[in-house]
Amino acid sequence: MGFLPVPSDDELSSDAIAAANRFQDAHPGRLTDLDRALLNNPTVFAAYTPWFDVKEELEELVGERAVTLFSLALARAVPAPYPTAFFEGILRAGGDDPVNPQVTEAESLLLEWGRSVGADPSRVPSELITRVEATFSQASRAVLAGYAGLMFGVCIFSLVAQLVPPASAAS
């Protein structure tokens, strides 16, 4: 077990169950171990779950695959094993090679920017910033920057909580 347990349904408080139900009404699907770890406190869960809304908005701007690649680059650079395994699994499930994906020019730029932001957000090279500015509108950059910050927060939470990627993620 990590620093923060991943509670089962039986271990959740009534407030946590209500928070999970509200979340799943808006975002159907299985709760991940990270989601469950956040449910140890409904306020913390509520603070982190807007990540999904920003992710969906970013997907509308640049595409789901580009967001997955960007997320993976940032998670690897942090490095955060749980989110890394999560996004590698998404790529693998889509038939991609998460180690050596074939990418478009915009995806390549997001990979490079994600690696740089994840490694040290205060030291992103100005040349790279200029390329991102030339490729994405100001409105898109606002969503990209917001998502990067939220993704960085998710990575840090997963590290502090000591979340371990599932064994199936390694395949």
Side-chain angles (χ1 to χ4, degrees), residues 70-96:
F70 178 56
S71 302
L72 177 59
L74 199 148
R76 281 181 175 159
V78 166
Y82 184 91
T84 296
F86 179 81
F87 289 106
E88 285 177 348
I90 290 173
L91 287 173
R92 208 174 286 110
D96 275 326

PDB file of all heavy atoms in Angstrom, residues 70-96:
ATOM      1  N   PHE A  70       0.695  14.672 -25.174  1.00  0.00           N
ATOM      2  CA  PHE A  70       1.157  15.783 -24.346  1.00  0.00           C
ATOM      3  C   PHE A  70       1.192  15.370 -22.872  1.00  0.00           C
ATOM      4  O   PHE A  70       2.178  15.606 -22.163  1.00  0.00           O
ATOM      5  CB  PHE A  70       0.238  16.990 -24.568  1.00  0.00           C
ATOM      6  CG  PHE A  70       0.568  18.201 -23.745  1.00  0.00           C
ATOM      7  CD1 PHE A  70       1.819  18.778 -23.773  1.00  0.00           C
ATOM      8  CD2 PHE A  70      -0.413  18.785 -22.957  1.00  0.00           C
ATOM      9  CE1 PHE A  70       2.106  19.912 -23.020  1.00  0.00           C
ATOM     10  CE2 PHE A  70      -0.132  19.914 -22.208  1.00  0.00           C
ATOM     11  CZ  PHE A  70       1.124  20.475 -22.238  1.00  0.00           C
ATOM     12  N   SER A  71       0.127  14.708 -22.431  1.00  0.00           N
ATOM     13  CA  SER A  71       0.038  14.245 -21.045  1.00  0.00           C
ATOM     14  C   SER A  71       1.143  13.245 -20.733  1.00  0.00           C
ATOM     15  O   SER A  71       1.773  13.306 -19.668  1.00  0.00           O
ATOM     16  CB  SER A  71      -1.316  13.585 -20.795  1.00  0.00           C
ATOM     17  OG  SER A  71      -2.372  14.462 -21.070  1.00  0.00           O
ATOM     18  N   LEU A  72       1.375  12.327 -21.654  1.00  0.00           N
ATOM     19  CA  LEU A  72       2.404  11.313 -21.469  1.00  0.00           C
ATOM     20  C   LEU A  72       3.788  11.956 -21.384  1.00  0.00           C
ATOM     21  O   LEU A  72       4.591  11.610 -20.505  1.00  0.00           O
ATOM     22  CB  LEU A  72       2.348  10.288 -22.600  1.00  0.00           C
ATOM     23  CG  LEU A  72       3.424   9.204 -22.587  1.00  0.00           C
ATOM     24  CD1 LEU A  72       3.386   8.399 -21.292  1.00  0.00           C
ATOM     25  CD2 LEU A  72       3.248   8.283 -23.792  1.00  0.00           C
ATOM     26  N   ALA A  73       4.063  12.903 -22.261  1.00  0.00           N
ATOM     27  CA  ALA A  73       5.369  13.571 -22.238  1.00  0.00           C
ATOM     28  C   ALA A  73       5.591  14.283 -20.907  1.00  0.00           C
ATOM     29  O   ALA A  73       6.672  14.186 -20.312  1.00  0.00           O
ATOM     30  CB  ALA A  73       5.465  14.568 -23.401  1.00  0.00           C
ATOM     31  N   LEU A  74       4.582  14.972 -20.436  1.00  0.00           N
ATOM     32  CA  LEU A  74       4.700  15.684 -19.169  1.00  0.00           C
ATOM     33  C   LEU A  74       4.879  14.698 -18.013  1.00  0.00           C
ATOM     34  O   LEU A  74       5.762  14.866 -17.167  1.00  0.00           O
ATOM     35  CB  LEU A  74       3.462  16.556 -18.967  1.00  0.00           C
ATOM     36  CG  LEU A  74       3.605  17.684 -17.964  1.00  0.00           C
ATOM     37  CD1 LEU A  74       2.750  18.858 -18.383  1.00  0.00           C
ATOM     38  CD2 LEU A  74       3.252  17.255 -16.580  1.00  0.00           C
ATOM     39  N   ALA A  75       4.066  13.631 -17.988  1.00  0.00           N
ATOM     40  CA  ALA A  75       4.150  12.645 -16.902  1.00  0.00           C
ATOM     41  C   ALA A  75       5.508  11.951 -16.867  1.00  0.00           C
ATOM     42  O   ALA A  75       6.066  11.719 -15.792  1.00  0.00           O
ATOM     43  CB  ALA A  75       3.028  11.620 -17.038  1.00  0.00           C
ATOM     44  N   ARG A  76       6.035  11.626 -18.037  1.00  0.00           N
ATOM     45  CA  ARG A  76       7.360  10.987 -18.087  1.00  0.00           C
ATOM     46  C   ARG A  76       8.440  11.930 -17.586  1.00  0.00           C
ATOM     47  O   ARG A  76       9.372  11.507 -16.912  1.00  0.00           O
ATOM     48  CB  ARG A  76       7.681  10.563 -19.518  1.00  0.00           C
ATOM     49  CG  ARG A  76       7.023   9.296 -19.954  1.00  0.00           C
ATOM     50  CD  ARG A  76       7.425   8.960 -21.375  1.00  0.00           C
ATOM     51  NE  ARG A  76       6.899   7.668 -21.786  1.00  0.00           N
ATOM     52  CZ  ARG A  76       6.742   7.317 -23.049  1.00  0.00           C
ATOM     53  NH1 ARG A  76       7.062   8.163 -24.027  1.00  0.00           N
ATOM     54  NH2 ARG A  76       6.258   6.122 -23.342  1.00  0.00           N
ATOM     55  N   ALA A  77       8.327  13.196 -17.952  1.00  0.00           N
ATOM     56  CA  ALA A  77       9.360  14.155 -17.573  1.00  0.00           C
ATOM     57  C   ALA A  77       9.359  14.462 -16.085  1.00  0.00           C
ATOM     58  O   ALA A  77      10.400  14.776 -15.518  1.00  0.00           O
ATOM     59  CB  ALA A  77       9.197  15.451 -18.376  1.00  0.00           C
ATOM     60  N   VAL A  78       8.210  14.358 -15.424  1.00  0.00           N
ATOM     61  CA  VAL A  78       8.128  14.728 -14.001  1.00  0.00           C
ATOM     62  C   VAL A  78       9.133  13.950 -13.146  1.00  0.00           C
ATOM     63  O   VAL A  78       9.823  14.596 -12.347  1.00  0.00           O
ATOM     64  CB  VAL A  78       6.673  14.631 -13.501  1.00  0.00           C
ATOM     65  CG1 VAL A  78       6.600  14.664 -11.984  1.00  0.00           C
ATOM     66  CG2 VAL A  78       5.836  15.780 -14.082  1.00  0.00           C
ATOM     67  N   PRO A  79       9.358  12.692 -13.169  1.00  0.00           N
ATOM     68  CA  PRO A  79       8.614  11.567 -13.716  1.00  0.00           C
ATOM     69  C   PRO A  79       7.572  11.055 -12.704  1.00  0.00           C
ATOM     70  O   PRO A  79       7.831  10.999 -11.506  1.00  0.00           O
ATOM     71  CB  PRO A  79       9.685  10.507 -13.942  1.00  0.00           C
ATOM     72  CG  PRO A  79      10.693  10.772 -12.878  1.00  0.00           C
ATOM     73  CD  PRO A  79      10.641  12.267 -12.603  1.00  0.00           C
ATOM     74  N   ALA A  80       6.420  10.666 -13.230  1.00  0.00           N
ATOM     75  CA  ALA A  80       5.316  10.171 -12.409  1.00  0.00           C
ATOM     76  C   ALA A  80       4.848   8.842 -12.999  1.00  0.00           C
ATOM     77  O   ALA A  80       4.151   8.826 -14.013  1.00  0.00           O
ATOM     78  CB  ALA A  80       4.194  11.191 -12.376  1.00  0.00           C
ATOM     79  N   PRO A  81       5.218   7.721 -12.373  1.00  0.00           N
ATOM     80  CA  PRO A  81       4.919   6.403 -12.947  1.00  0.00           C
ATOM     81  C   PRO A  81       3.434   6.107 -13.162  1.00  0.00           C
ATOM     82  O   PRO A  81       3.077   5.514 -14.184  1.00  0.00           O
ATOM     83  CB  PRO A  81       5.518   5.414 -11.938  1.00  0.00           C
ATOM     84  CG  PRO A  81       6.558   6.196 -11.211  1.00  0.00           C
ATOM     85  CD  PRO A  81       6.064   7.606 -11.179  1.00  0.00           C
ATOM     86  N   TYR A  82       2.572   6.498 -12.223  1.00  0.00           N
ATOM     87  CA  TYR A  82       1.153   6.152 -12.382  1.00  0.00           C
ATOM     88  C   TYR A  82       0.540   6.840 -13.604  1.00  0.00           C
ATOM     89  O   TYR A  82      -0.034   6.160 -14.465  1.00  0.00           O
ATOM     90  CB  TYR A  82       0.364   6.460 -11.103  1.00  0.00           C
ATOM     91  CG  TYR A  82      -1.076   6.023 -11.218  1.00  0.00           C
ATOM     92  CD1 TYR A  82      -1.464   4.746 -10.822  1.00  0.00           C
ATOM     93  CD2 TYR A  82      -2.035   6.859 -11.765  1.00  0.00           C
ATOM     94  CE1 TYR A  82      -2.783   4.320 -10.962  1.00  0.00           C
ATOM     95  CE2 TYR A  82      -3.356   6.443 -11.909  1.00  0.00           C
ATOM     96  CZ  TYR A  82      -3.718   5.179 -11.507  1.00  0.00           C
ATOM     97  OH  TYR A  82      -5.011   4.755 -11.661  1.00  0.00           O
ATOM     98  N   PRO A  83       0.633   8.184 -13.737  1.00  0.00           N
ATOM     99  CA  PRO A  83       0.079   8.808 -14.944  1.00  0.00           C
ATOM    100  C   PRO A  83       0.783   8.358 -16.225  1.00  0.00           C
ATOM    101  O   PRO A  83       0.148   8.231 -17.269  1.00  0.00           O
ATOM    102  CB  PRO A  83       0.258  10.310 -14.726  1.00  0.00           C
ATOM    103  CG  PRO A  83       0.498  10.469 -13.273  1.00  0.00           C
ATOM    104  CD  PRO A  83       1.087   9.192 -12.780  1.00  0.00           C
ATOM    105  N   THR A  84       2.083   8.098 -16.133  1.00  0.00           N
ATOM    106  CA  THR A  84       2.801   7.600 -17.310  1.00  0.00           C
ATOM    107  C   THR A  84       2.183   6.304 -17.794  1.00  0.00           C
ATOM    108  O   THR A  84       1.862   6.152 -18.981  1.00  0.00           O
ATOM    109  CB  THR A  84       4.301   7.407 -16.995  1.00  0.00           C
ATOM    110  OG1 THR A  84       4.877   8.690 -16.699  1.00  0.00           O
ATOM    111  CG2 THR A  84       5.040   6.763 -18.161  1.00  0.00           C
ATOM    112  N   ALA A  85       1.985   5.362 -16.884  1.00  0.00           N
ATOM    113  CA  ALA A  85       1.393   4.072 -17.252  1.00  0.00           C
ATOM    114  C   ALA A  85      -0.034   4.258 -17.778  1.00  0.00           C
ATOM    115  O   ALA A  85      -0.441   3.586 -18.728  1.00  0.00           O
ATOM    116  CB  ALA A  85       1.400   3.124 -16.052  1.00  0.00           C
ATOM    117  N   PHE A  86      -0.785   5.175 -17.172  1.00  0.00           N
ATOM    118  CA  PHE A  86      -2.157   5.430 -17.602  1.00  0.00           C
ATOM    119  C   PHE A  86      -2.191   5.881 -19.060  1.00  0.00           C
ATOM    120  O   PHE A  86      -2.941   5.333 -19.883  1.00  0.00           O
ATOM    121  CB  PHE A  86      -2.794   6.486 -16.687  1.00  0.00           C
ATOM    122  CG  PHE A  86      -4.195   6.845 -17.059  1.00  0.00           C
ATOM    123  CD1 PHE A  86      -5.260   6.042 -16.675  1.00  0.00           C
ATOM    124  CD2 PHE A  86      -4.461   7.993 -17.800  1.00  0.00           C
ATOM    125  CE1 PHE A  86      -6.570   6.369 -17.027  1.00  0.00           C
ATOM    126  CE2 PHE A  86      -5.759   8.330 -18.148  1.00  0.00           C
ATOM    127  CZ  PHE A  86      -6.812   7.514 -17.763  1.00  0.00           C
ATOM    128  N   PHE A  87      -1.371   6.882 -19.411  1.00  0.00           N
ATOM    129  CA  PHE A  87      -1.400   7.413 -20.774  1.00  0.00           C
ATOM    130  C   PHE A  87      -0.737   6.466 -21.775  1.00  0.00           C
ATOM    131  O   PHE A  87      -1.156   6.398 -22.928  1.00  0.00           O
ATOM    132  CB  PHE A  87      -0.811   8.827 -20.817  1.00  0.00           C
ATOM    133  CG  PHE A  87      -1.724   9.825 -20.173  1.00  0.00           C
ATOM    134  CD1 PHE A  87      -1.425  10.347 -18.931  1.00  0.00           C
ATOM    135  CD2 PHE A  87      -2.907  10.201 -20.784  1.00  0.00           C
ATOM    136  CE1 PHE A  87      -2.300  11.241 -18.305  1.00  0.00           C
ATOM    137  CE2 PHE A  87      -3.784  11.082 -20.173  1.00  0.00           C
ATOM    138  CZ  PHE A  87      -3.469  11.613 -18.927  1.00  0.00           C
ATOM    139  N   GLU A  88       0.273   5.709 -21.349  1.00  0.00           N
ATOM    140  CA  GLU A  88       0.829   4.675 -22.221  1.00  0.00           C
ATOM    141  C   GLU A  88      -0.251   3.643 -22.557  1.00  0.00           C
ATOM    142  O   GLU A  88      -0.350   3.183 -23.694  1.00  0.00           O
ATOM    143  CB  GLU A  88       2.017   3.984 -21.557  1.00  0.00           C
ATOM    144  CG  GLU A  88       3.276   4.816 -21.554  1.00  0.00           C
ATOM    145  CD  GLU A  88       4.426   4.143 -20.821  1.00  0.00           C
ATOM    146  OE1 GLU A  88       4.210   3.116 -20.113  1.00  0.00           O
ATOM    147  OE2 GLU A  88       5.555   4.657 -20.945  1.00  0.00           O
ATOM    148  N   GLY A  89      -1.059   3.292 -21.554  1.00  0.00           N
ATOM    149  CA  GLY A  89      -2.142   2.320 -21.766  1.00  0.00           C
ATOM    150  C   GLY A  89      -3.170   2.815 -22.766  1.00  0.00           C
ATOM    151  O   GLY A  89      -3.668   2.040 -23.592  1.00  0.00           O
ATOM    152  N   ILE A  90      -3.496   4.098 -22.706  1.00  0.00           N
ATOM    153  CA  ILE A  90      -4.445   4.671 -23.675  1.00  0.00           C
ATOM    154  C   ILE A  90      -3.880   4.560 -25.091  1.00  0.00           C
ATOM    155  O   ILE A  90      -4.589   4.168 -26.022  1.00  0.00           O
ATOM    156  CB  ILE A  90      -4.777   6.136 -23.327  1.00  0.00           C
ATOM    157  CG1 ILE A  90      -5.613   6.195 -22.048  1.00  0.00           C
ATOM    158  CG2 ILE A  90      -5.500   6.825 -24.486  1.00  0.00           C
ATOM    159  CD1 ILE A  90      -5.847   7.607 -21.538  1.00  0.00           C
ATOM    160  N   LEU A  91      -2.608   4.916 -25.248  1.00  0.00           N
ATOM    161  CA  LEU A  91      -1.998   4.821 -26.576  1.00  0.00           C
ATOM    162  C   LEU A  91      -1.960   3.373 -27.056  1.00  0.00           C
ATOM    163  O   LEU A  91      -2.304   3.079 -28.202  1.00  0.00           O
ATOM    164  CB  LEU A  91      -0.594   5.419 -26.567  1.00  0.00           C
ATOM    165  CG  LEU A  91      -0.530   6.936 -26.494  1.00  0.00           C
ATOM    166  CD1 LEU A  91       0.909   7.399 -26.327  1.00  0.00           C
ATOM    167  CD2 LEU A  91      -1.147   7.568 -27.729  1.00  0.00           C
ATOM    168  N   ARG A  92      -1.550   2.465 -26.173  1.00  0.00           N
ATOM    169  CA  ARG A  92      -1.468   1.049 -26.523  1.00  0.00           C
ATOM    170  C   ARG A  92      -2.843   0.519 -26.939  1.00  0.00           C
ATOM    171  O   ARG A  92      -2.959  -0.186 -27.937  1.00  0.00           O
ATOM    172  CB  ARG A  92      -0.916   0.264 -25.331  1.00  0.00           C
ATOM    173  CG  ARG A  92      -0.182  -0.986 -25.695  1.00  0.00           C
ATOM    174  CD  ARG A  92       0.485  -1.656 -24.494  1.00  0.00           C
ATOM    175  NE  ARG A  92       1.670  -0.939 -24.052  1.00  0.00           N
ATOM    176  CZ  ARG A  92       1.767  -0.240 -22.906  1.00  0.00           C
ATOM    177  NH1 ARG A  92       0.771  -0.175 -22.063  1.00  0.00           N
ATOM    178  NH2 ARG A  92       2.881   0.377 -22.585  1.00  0.00           N
ATOM    179  N   ALA A  93      -3.882   0.894 -26.187  1.00  0.00           N
ATOM    180  CA  ALA A  93      -5.247   0.439 -26.496  1.00  0.00           C
ATOM    181  C   ALA A  93      -5.709   0.958 -27.853  1.00  0.00           C
ATOM    182  O   ALA A  93      -6.529   0.326 -28.523  1.00  0.00           O
ATOM    183  CB  ALA A  93      -6.217   0.882 -25.402  1.00  0.00           C
ATOM    184  N   GLY A  94      -5.177   2.109 -28.269  1.00  0.00           N
ATOM    185  CA  GLY A  94      -5.518   2.670 -29.568  1.00  0.00           C
ATOM    186  C   GLY A  94      -4.646   2.152 -30.705  1.00  0.00           C
ATOM    187  O   GLY A  94      -4.741   2.642 -31.832  1.00  0.00           O
ATOM    188  N   GLY A  95      -3.768   1.197 -30.390  1.00  0.00           N
ATOM    189  CA  GLY A  95      -2.913   0.615 -31.417  1.00  0.00           C
ATOM    190  C   GLY A  95      -1.612   1.363 -31.642  1.00  0.00           C
ATOM    191  O   GLY A  95      -0.880   1.055 -32.588  1.00  0.00           O
ATOM    192  N   ASP A  96      -1.318   2.342 -30.789  1.00  0.00           N
ATOM    193  CA  ASP A  96      -0.080   3.108 -30.927  1.00  0.00           C
ATOM    194  C   ASP A  96       1.056   2.474 -30.133  1.00  0.00           C
ATOM    195  O   ASP A  96       0.827   1.747 -29.168  1.00  0.00           O
ATOM    196  CB  ASP A  96      -0.263   4.531 -30.383  1.00  0.00           C
ATOM    197  CG  ASP A  96      -0.860   5.476 -31.397  1.00  0.00           C
ATOM    198  OD1 ASP A  96      -0.574   5.333 -32.594  1.00  0.00           O
ATOM    199  OD2 ASP A  96      -1.617   6.368 -30.977  1.00  0.00           O
TER     200      ASP A  96
END
